[in-house]
Amino acid sequence: MPLVDVNRILTLPGIVNIVQVACGFAALFASSFVWRDTDTFFQFIYKGFGWQTLIVFILLITWIFAIAMLLNNLTGRDVQETVGKRRLLIVYGICLVLLIISASLESWYCDKSKGHFYHARFVAVTIFNWILVASYIALIALTMFFA
């Protein structure tokens, strides 16, 4: 068996998983990396936007899960055979609910932050969050109907 199983990545769930890893990283980067003039730093607590820490935590947890799934796909292991279809759907559902909470809070911050330095950052994270929500809906549908 080869070290990397490219065939598992080139399936529809594999491509969705790659999108999840990329969007999760982009959302984490946009929500915590700050570049202001010549200063660059990571920020996890935002004055006036307290829920942002929860959003970053949710993004981190779901991104770690997406990376674990990607590594399983790359090594050729079938997660559904290992943990079972029902458990996999439950985990996908938990990730979906967490990301809906995250995307909703971030959408609220988009409205609340108009004219603020963080507004563009909140818009970017909101877009990535909703893409992640759609990707988990797609994975749930693919797992339920085609696996």
Side-chain angles (χ1 to χ4, degrees), residues 13-33:
I15 292 169
V16 170
N17 186 237
I18 290 171
V19 169
Q20 288 175 330
V21 170
C23 285
F25 177 78
L28 278 168
F29 189 79
S31 66
S32 58
F33 186 75

Side-chain angles (χ1 to χ4, degrees), residues 129-143:
N129 256 311
W130 286 114
I131 291 171
L132 287 167
V133 167
S135 73
Y136 273 99
I137 291 170
L139 276 182
I140 289 170
L142 288 170
T143 304

Side-chain angles (χ1 to χ4, degrees), residues 36-99:
R36 196 178 221 177
D37 298 325
T38 58
D39 297 330
T40 57
F41 53 91
F42 287 98
Q43 182 170 352
F44 303 106
I45 299 172
Y46 292 76
K47 185 177 181 180
F49 301 100
W51 291 108
Q52 192 64 29
T53 305
L54 175 64
I55 292 166
V56 171
F57 179 73
I58 289 171
L59 288 170
L60 181 64
I61 294 299
T62 56
W63 185 64
I64 289 171
F65 175 71
I67 293 234
M69 293 297 290
L70 181 65
L71 291 175
N72 279 318
N73 284 333
L74 284 173
T75 58
R77 287 187 235 139
D78 189 358
V79 177
Q80 186 171 329
E81 285 182 12
T82 306
V83 298
K85 184 176 182 176
R86 194 170 108 205
R87 285 186 183 162
L88 186 60
L89 285 170
I90 289 170
V91 173
Y92 285 163
I94 290 169
C95 287
L96 176 63
V97 168
L98 288 173
L99 285 166

Side-chain angles (χ1 to χ4, degrees), residues 34 43 46-47 49 113 116-123:
V34 177
Q43 182 170 352
Y46 292 76
K47 185 177 181 180
F49 301 100
S113 68
H116 197 276
F117 170 73
Y118 296 127
H119 182 70
R121 169 184 322 277
F122 290 153
V123 170

